[in-house]
Amino acid sequence: YYIGGGHSNSGYALPPAFYISPGDTNFILINTVVPHDQNPPYDIRLFYSYDNGITRTDIPYFQSKSFTGIAISTKNDSVNFAAAGDTIFKSTDRGVYWTPVSVIPFFRGTLRINPFDTSIVYALDDSLFVSSDGANSFNYILNKKFTNFTFKYSDSTILATWKNKLYRSSDSGFSWNIIDSLSDSINVLDNDPENENIVYAGTNTGLYRSTDG
């Protein structure tokens, strides 16, 4: 389905961000362009759709904002977060109303929500920040720009990568250890959907496989 965007007269390609609910694929948050005849020839707006992108509803609260991170909870998709600049916004009604809840200075990264506990939110940029109170405040965890961030759905384990190193957290992301180093930077990391102890790591030079999570 077409959910907006395309190329504006100034050459911008949008939407810059969107997120599909893991529990209901009809529910999508879409950060996209609204063209007009003024200069610049567009506004960047946030919309929600409840019919898989066929129709969309503007969220006028934001006026014009570009979001680097949008996240919808796996456990409860009424809970949504979005990052615009260094401000984190929260919705508890599937994207209809939003409230600014916290600020991370100079943040321009992405957001993830713990699949078991919606109060645990991850802010990933050049560093990792973790909130345990629903994004009302964030704690600095470590100075690593994780390029992959993968949850295990049987416990509180998280796997992440930075350059050629594989990290593991066993406490929902509050502490981390290096568990392996590969010969090349890790581009992709994912669990086997039928056995999450099997983990695949893809690099420019090959595919690696672990059978012990």
Side-chain angles (χ1 to χ4, degrees):
Y1 297 109
Y2 174 74
I3 58 174
H7 290 271
S8 71
N9 293 335
S10 56
Y12 286 86
L14 298 168
F18 68 94
Y19 202 100
I20 302 171
S21 169
D24 176 9
T25 56
N26 287 310
F27 173 33
I28 310 174
L29 291 173
I30 310 156
N31 189 205
T32 191
V33 67
V34 179
H36 54 64
D37 295 329
Q38 301 175 17
N39 187 24
Y42 60 88
D43 285 331
I44 301 173
R45 306 294 288 268
L46 185 65
F47 297 81
Y48 61 85
S49 172
Y50 296 151
D51 57 10
N52 205 9
I54 297 173
T55 61
R56 62 187 188 182
T57 300
D58 188 8
I59 303 172
Y61 170 82
F62 289 116
Q63 300 301 317
S64 182
K65 284 189 181 298
S66 181
F67 293 85
T68 57
I70 297 173
I72 298 174
S73 171
T74 300
K75 184 177 181 180
N76 175 10
D77 72 1
S78 293
V79 178
N80 316 145
F81 295 95
D86 56 9
T87 303
I88 312 299
F89 297 86
K90 181 178 182 179
S91 170
T92 58
D93 56 8
R94 304 186 98 206
V96 179
Y97 295 102
W98 294 80
T99 303
V101 289
S102 58
V103 172
I104 303 175
F106 310 109
F107 182 75
R108 294 296 184 274
T110 59
L111 301 174
R112 299 291 299 275
I113 306 171
N114 187 282
F116 301 107
D117 186 347
T118 57
S119 67
I120 303 178
V121 183
Y122 308 91
L124 299 95
D125 199 352
D126 291 334
S127 300
L128 172 66
F129 301 85
V130 180
S131 171
S132 59
D133 59 5
N136 290 309
S137 62
F138 282 85
N139 295 314
Y140 167 82
I141 302 299
L142 77 169
N143 182 27
K144 292 291 180 290
K145 187 174 184 176
F146 287 143
T147 52
N148 295 282
F149 203 77
T150 302
F151 297 99
K152 290 183 67 175
Y153 287 88
S154 60
D155 56 33
S156 58
T157 299
I158 307 172
L159 300 176
T161 63
W162 177 69
K163 297 184 177 180
N164 69 324
K165 293 180 173 56
L166 182 63
Y167 287 75
R168 176 192 284 141
S169 172
S170 300
D171 59 0
S172 298
F174 293 95
S175 62
W176 295 83
N177 295 304
I178 298 174
I179 59 172
D180 206 350
S181 295
L182 303 184
S183 59
D184 197 5
S185 293
I186 302 170
N187 301 321
V188 179
L189 183 74
D190 207 353
N191 297 320
D192 187 313
E194 297 183 356
N195 183 353
E196 62 181 8
N197 287 320
I198 299 176
V199 180
Y200 296 94
T203 73
N204 290 333
T205 57
L207 179 66
Y208 295 80
R209 180 174 181 262
S210 170
T211 58
D212 57 7

